[in-house]
Amino acid sequence: MSDFSPVTPVALQIRKIIFEKFNDVDTKFTNDEIFEILKENNDVNPTWIVDDVESFFNEICDSGLTRNIAQNFTTIWLKLFDSIEKLHCNSCNNDIYLGKSEDRICPNPSCNSSI
Ligand SMILES: [Zn+2]
């Protein structure tokens, strides 16, 4: 199952979920909640557990989309720095979701074009 490749890059799926469900700077959400929705959407490796997506959450903290406000074992509580806007990347032809204060760079790891 390690050769599973998602239709939409996981980094973009996670941003879309935050945009749709948690796009409010006062709302706290966890990596577990996002991971549950990811699994329901059926476009991630079915063998994954929440630990397997940790790097994606580190990435959205490093990029300035979210901040890690608390952590308890594998659960990470997050908050947005700014609300998220939906944009479209013409280079990879994906809808993308960027925080208002993030660099205007496509978050698709195989694209990284300027928006
Ligand atoms: Zn792109």
Side-chain angles (χ1 to χ4, degrees):
M1 298 302 272
S2 59
D3 59 357
F4 181 91
S5 70
V7 177
T8 304
V10 175
L12 298 188
Q13 293 185 52
I14 288 174
R15 285 169 175 270
K16 181 171 192 225
I17 292 166
I18 299 172
F19 174 77
E20 289 177 345
K21 310 270 186 189
F22 306 107
N23 194 7
D24 177 342
V25 291
D26 295 321
T27 299
K28 288 182 231 168
F29 51 93
T30 68
N31 59 333
D32 296 323
E33 290 174 293
I34 306 231
F35 184 59
E36 282 310 307
I37 300 167
L38 269 180
K39 289 205 301 191
E40 282 165 22
N41 292 343
N42 276 320
D43 193 19
V44 290
N45 188 325
T47 66
W48 276 6
I49 58 169
V50 72
D51 291 355
D52 292 310
V53 292
E54 192 182 341
S55 61
F56 294 102
F57 288 97
N58 292 336
E59 210 170 83
I60 57 174
C61 289
D62 291 344
S63 75
L65 178 68
T66 57
R67 60 176 173 254
N68 176 335
I69 54 170
Q71 185 151 3
N72 183 19
F73 299 101
T74 61
T75 298
I76 305 167
W77 278 265
L78 299 156
K79 256 181 142 175
L80 290 175
F81 277 110
D82 275 302
S83 55
I84 303 180
E85 351 180 62
K86 180 179 181 177
L87 301 159
H88 190 79
C89 177
N90 293 322
S91 301
C92 66
N93 204 29
N94 277 296
D95 286 332
I96 57 162
Y97 304 87
L98 288 175
K100 289 194 174 139
S101 52
E102 278 187 288
D103 291 338
R104 305 281 97 179
I105 298 201
C106 179
N108 178 354
S110 59
C111 176
N112 291 319
S113 299
S114 294
I115 303 300

